Amino acid sequence: EVFRLLENSISKFPRQRAIQTLITDRDDVEYDFNVSDNQGGSSSIFEFDGHEKMYPGVGTDRVIKMRSITLDTAIDRFAISKSLDTLVLDTQGSELLVLKGGTQALARINWILAECADFSAYKMGCQCSEIGEFLLEHGFHEHRRFEKATKEGVGTYFDILYVRG
């Protein structure tokens, strides 16, 4: 349902294309994808952890099976331009997996905007510190941090902008 909304939203931009696929750090692995009941906004391959305290009332509507590919595979398979400059990530705890599966792409990217939490929002999901450490190893540093949501006793969600160099 969300994918159809995305396709409709970008239809007026002829150079944009929606691709529906699960991107992680491995090709051809089957995952349980937990579809959330908030119009899919909190859907993830990971189960909720602190997310439930941050957003009480948000739950899982259903679980579907999906097979993964890496970011590098997706770029090749869907003939995405290799002249990427910016990567935006909001994958509900799996941002680090996406980055690990895109090391070839990272070599060409200059800017990354990643949503992350400074607490365990999803069981086995990544946190801001892990993303920052990985990107530092690949030539990026944190440029700016935007607070999105915070709750005392739980933690904070951020959008963090990383830049190469």
Side-chain angles (χ1 to χ4, degrees), residues 145-164:
R145 183 177 289 232
F146 306 90
E147 186 176 308
K148 291 183 68 176
T150 190
K151 188 168 190 178
E152 192 172 327
V154 178
T156 303
Y157 271 106
F158 298 94
D159 277 336
I160 300 181
L161 182 63
Y162 297 91
V163 64
R164 173 173 300 291

Side-chain angles (χ1 to χ4, degrees), residues 87-155:
L87 179 63
V88 179
L89 297 171
D90 183 355
T91 60
Q92 305 311 109
S94 65
E95 291 81 4
L96 186 57
L97 296 181
V98 173
L99 292 168
K100 286 181 175 181
T103 55
Q104 292 173 21
L106 286 180
R108 299 183 303 272
I109 291 172
N110 293 310
W111 298 92
I112 297 172
L113 182 66
E115 182 191 66
C116 60
D118 65 2
F119 63 99
S120 177
Y122 292 86
K123 294 176 185 173
M124 299 176 61
C126 65
Q127 294 183 33
C128 298
S129 59
E130 296 168 284
I131 293 171
E133 289 169 17
F134 179 84
L135 288 175
L136 189 61
E137 293 171 6
H138 287 84
F140 290 85
H141 68 272
E142 185 175 322
H143 178 70
R144 190 152 178 213
R145 183 177 289 232
F146 306 90
E147 186 176 308
K148 291 183 68 176
T150 190
K151 188 168 190 178
E152 192 172 327
V154 178

Side-chain angles (χ1 to χ4, degrees), residues 26-45:
R26 298 183 292 168
D27 285 320
D28 202 33
V29 175
E30 186 174 82
Y31 287 87
D32 286 338
F33 188 76
N34 304 291
V35 181
S36 64
D37 60 9
N38 61 344
Q39 297 178 314
S42 299
S43 300
S44 178
I45 61 172

Side-chain angles (χ1 to χ4, degrees), residues 47-60 119-123 151 154 157:
E47 295 177 5
F48 292 134
D49 195 11
H51 185 281
E52 291 177 315
K53 293 177 188 153
M54 179 71 86
Y55 299 106
V58 175
T60 299
F119 63 99
S120 177
Y122 292 86
K123 294 176 185 173
K151 188 168 190 178
V154 178
Y157 271 106

